[in-house]
Amino acid sequence: RYLLEQDFPGMRIGPEPTTDSFIAVMYGETEGNVPGNALVVDPKKPFRKLSRFGNAFLNRFMCSQLPNEVLKSISIIDSPGILSGEKQRISRGYDFCQVLQWFAERVDRIILLFDAHKLDISDEFSEAIKAFRGQDDKIRVVLNKADQVDTQQLMRVYGALMWSLGKVIDTPEVLRVYIGSFWAHPLRNTDNRRLFEAEAQDLFKDIQSLPQKAAVRKLNDLIKRARLAKVHAYIISYLKKEMPSVFGKENKKKELINKLPEIYIQLQREYHISAGDFPEVKKMQEQLENCDFTKFHSLKPKLIETVDNMLANKIASLMNLIRQEESNMPTEMVHGGAFDGTMAGPFGHGYGEGAKEGADEEEWVVAKDKPAYDEIFYTLSPVNGKISGISAKKEMVTSKLPNSVLGKIWKLADCDGDGMLDDEEFALAKHLIKIKLDGYELPGMLPSHLVPPSHRKPFQTAE
């Protein structure tokens, strides 16, 4: 709702539990709903494989279509609110985690939402997060309603969230958490306004980059599936080879299923496969319970060779094709909705801050602090109105900034490149030091509004 800046059909916002449905929010010329059963038979939509989850799921699945600019670039899957009790979990009538897993394998980004007031990770939420195993690079976390607590409480809440997530998500890396208040209402607590704006901007950049990376992500998934298929072939052919031809098939089957972890180790050594390429043992054992091992196929080395050839050679040429296509096409970004609110104008991110301060003022922004900078300048014994690099360095290092930063500031401030600073250039250097000390980034090139008045080229008028 926050990203689209308009209501969509089937949306209900309020205290939990509100939505009990999966809603695919997609672009359409006219506003309307398509129910789940009709959706999975539509050849133009990518949901046909969801029919295997049955009517209990399809009755709680729908597609919301509306003509929104944001949805031209991305589609959003809004999942049901997570419940905490065991009773509700059973009453869903379909395998909730399996559905989440199906979507997780196909989406570009997974966003987990937490409220600053409700940080506990329920049993179902924990199971849901575990369903995303293997998709950790896609996960981002949003800590919402952060304006409803003060700075001290927010620090504790953030720490508690990271601790809770660390117990559920088994990765050594820390997940990226975006903190903010993602709705179009006044902030209750404005102490952290600048933090919320920077975090929202980071989240927007992350989402906006998705259309550009979609082709590479699909290629990445193809490689992942090819490696998995190859490993499956090794496992299946091994089980087939070990089966007796006449008697004791059932006992041998049970024995092989129990020995699966040892079989994995043996195949790793024999074919030099990484342990990370194997499917999860427990899940594989469950799947094998219902299979007839005698009907499995033997290993076909020629097919394995074809897959290896594809991974070694074909994928590289595909990657080059994607890069060429991307360079020839205009950069695709997500537009509309909340994304346009912070693009330009005085409310754009960073407008009037740091190096951008004074961009729309007629007077040179450094002038207001120049008298104080001049006092320092004249204590450095200028010769012919300029101080040497050595004198400037003595003053500039008092800022305690590293030489790499001070070197960049010198390069930006020495407008005429003569290796010395006049009073205006020195004032500019002190202004740039102040920008850096205030926590802002330095510009790559000196913006026109920061160029000292005496170093500005006069406008040439056409005769």
Side-chain angles (χ1 to χ4, degrees):
R1 173 64 184 81
Y2 174 73
L3 294 178
L4 301 180
E5 289 188 343
Q6 75 175 92
D7 291 357
F8 54 88
M11 182 191 87
R12 289 201 305 277
I13 294 175
E16 61 178 310
T18 45
T19 48
D20 65 339
S21 302
F22 279 87
I23 304 175
V25 189
M26 303 177 84
Y27 183 80
E29 294 299 329
T30 53
E31 200 170 304
N33 270 342
V34 182
N37 283 292
L39 203 55
V40 294
V41 294
D42 186 347
K44 291 179 183 173
K45 295 279 190 293
F47 303 119
R48 301 187 79 167
K49 293 284 174 73
L50 282 168
S51 57
R52 69 185 170 95
F53 294 108
N55 273 332
F57 164 70
L58 296 177
N59 289 337
R60 293 188 179 89
F61 178 47
M62 60 187 266
C63 176
S64 253
Q65 292 185 315
L66 64 157
N68 186 290
E69 191 72 23
V70 175
L71 299 173
K72 284 184 177 178
S73 311
I74 56 171
S75 295
I76 301 165
I77 307 294
D78 179 25
S79 67
I82 301 285
L83 305 167
S84 52
E86 190 66 30
K87 189 179 80 176
Q88 296 100 315
R89 213 166 72 174
I90 293 165
S91 69
R92 281 197 194 271
Y94 60 91
D95 194 327
F96 181 61
C97 290
Q98 284 282 318
V99 174
L100 284 178
Q101 196 173 356
W102 189 92
F103 279 115
E105 286 168 0
R106 288 156 180 82
V107 297
D108 292 287
R109 187 66 74 238
I110 300 163
I111 297 176
L112 304 177
L113 285 157
F114 288 88
D115 280 7
H117 286 120
K118 294 190 284 290
L119 285 181
D120 59 314
I121 299 179
S122 67
D123 293 347
E124 189 173 42
F125 203 1
S126 177
E127 289 297 315
I129 294 171
K130 283 173 185 170
F132 302 142
R133 191 165 283 148
Q135 315 292 337
D136 305 318
D137 56 316
K138 297 178 182 178
I139 299 176
R140 301 289 182 273
V141 177
V142 169
L143 178 58
N144 201 6
K145 303 181 188 174
D147 65 317
Q148 297 185 12
V149 293
D150 61 34
T151 307
Q152 187 183 15
Q153 287 171 321
L154 181 60
M155 192 173 70
R156 290 168 191 263
V157 162
Y158 180 78
L161 175 61
M162 297 308 286
W163 183 78
S164 301
L165 285 170
K167 292 173 76 178
V168 179
I169 298 172
D170 303 326
T171 54
E173 297 89 6
V174 176
L175 283 175
R176 176 66 167 99
V177 177
Y178 299 94
I179 304 167
S181 178
F182 296 92
W183 69 338
H185 290 263
L187 298 175
R188 286 199 188 175
N189 194 320
T190 56
D191 295 351
N192 298 304
R193 184 184 186 119
R194 194 174 145 199
L195 168 72
F196 297 161
E197 284 172 1
E199 291 284 283
Q201 202 59 30
D202 283 356
L203 179 61
F204 286 174
K205 279 180 188 168
D206 188 61
I207 296 170
Q208 282 179 308
S209 67
L210 293 178
Q212 292 169 264
K213 296 173 183 171
V216 177
R217 204 255 323 150
K218 284 172 187 167
L219 189 62
N220 185 50
D221 283 355
L222 172 70
I223 297 165
K224 210 189 281 185
R225 290 189 69 171
R227 289 163 75 106
L228 198 59
K230 191 174 129 182
V231 171
H232 268 272
Y234 285 132
I235 297 167
I236 295 303
S237 61
Y238 181 89
L239 297 174
K240 160 85 173 174
K241 190 174 73 181
E242 292 295 307
M243 285 299 283
S245 51
V246 187
F247 300 113
K249 290 180 183 176
E250 274 306 309
N251 290 338
K252 188 65 178 175
K253 177 182 167 178
K254 284 176 188 170
E255 186 193 321
L256 287 169
I257 290 172
N258 292 331
K259 275 176 63 185
L260 199 60
E262 295 162 38
I263 293 168
Y264 276 15
I265 294 164
Q266 193 178 329
L267 292 172
Q268 280 173 44
R269 288 182 188 145
E270 193 177 335
Y271 297 105
H272 310 290
I273 308 166
S274 164
D277 286 351
F278 281 82
E280 202 183 326
V281 174
K282 198 176 175 186
K283 194 177 168 188
M284 192 66 174
Q285 285 172 327
E286 285 170 12
Q287 297 275 348
L288 289 171
E289 290 283 354
N290 306 316
C291 297
D292 182 354
F293 289 11
T294 56
K295 289 183 179 174
F296 286 167
H297 291 279
S298 301
L299 192 68
K300 296 187 176 78
K302 203 159 189 178
L303 289 179
I304 297 288
E305 205 178 296
T306 308
V307 174
D308 286 338
N309 179 43
M310 181 198 78
L311 292 171
N313 306 314
K314 301 283 173 67
I315 293 292
S317 56
L318 259 178
M319 196 72 207
N320 287 333
L321 280 172
I322 289 170
R323 286 203 186 105
Q324 282 170 19
E325 202 171 281
E326 281 176 352
S327 60
N328 295 334
M329 285 169 69
T331 306
E332 194 180 347
M333 294 284 273
V334 181
H335 292 288
F339 295 99
D340 285 353
T342 55
M343 286 291 189
F347 296 98
H349 181 62
Y351 190 92
E353 296 175 359
K356 294 175 186 173
E357 186 189 350
D360 51 2
E361 293 173 20
E362 282 187 32
E363 193 183 352
W364 189 38
V365 70
V366 184
K368 64 179 187 289
D369 295 317
K370 192 169 180 291
Y373 298 149
D374 282 350
E375 282 182 32
I376 302 167
F377 179 77
Y378 289 111
T379 64
L380 299 172
S381 311
V383 177
N384 298 328
K386 294 193 174 192
I387 58 168
S388 66
I390 295 168
S391 302
K393 182 181 177 181
K394 282 177 187 171
E395 172 56 32
M396 288 168 75
V397 293
T398 60
S399 66
K400 298 182 181 176
L401 286 169
N403 281 357
S404 57
V405 175
L406 292 174
K408 188 176 181 182
I409 289 170
W410 173 272
K411 200 175 174 184
L412 291 168
D414 186 12
C415 298
D416 50 15
D418 64 353
M420 303 178 89
L421 301 181
D422 61 25
D423 61 325
E424 285 186 345
E425 288 174 325
F426 178 76
L428 173 60
K430 291 292 282 181
H431 180 72
L432 291 169
I433 286 170
K434 181 174 173 286
I435 285 171
K436 191 65 186 172
L437 291 175
D438 286 346
Y440 297 100
E441 287 303 313
L442 293 170
M445 289 173 65
L446 193 66
S448 57
H449 70 276
L450 285 182
V451 176
S454 63
H455 292 270
R456 291 176 189 175
K457 291 174 184 173
F459 289 107
Q460 294 177 339
T461 51
E463 291 181 8

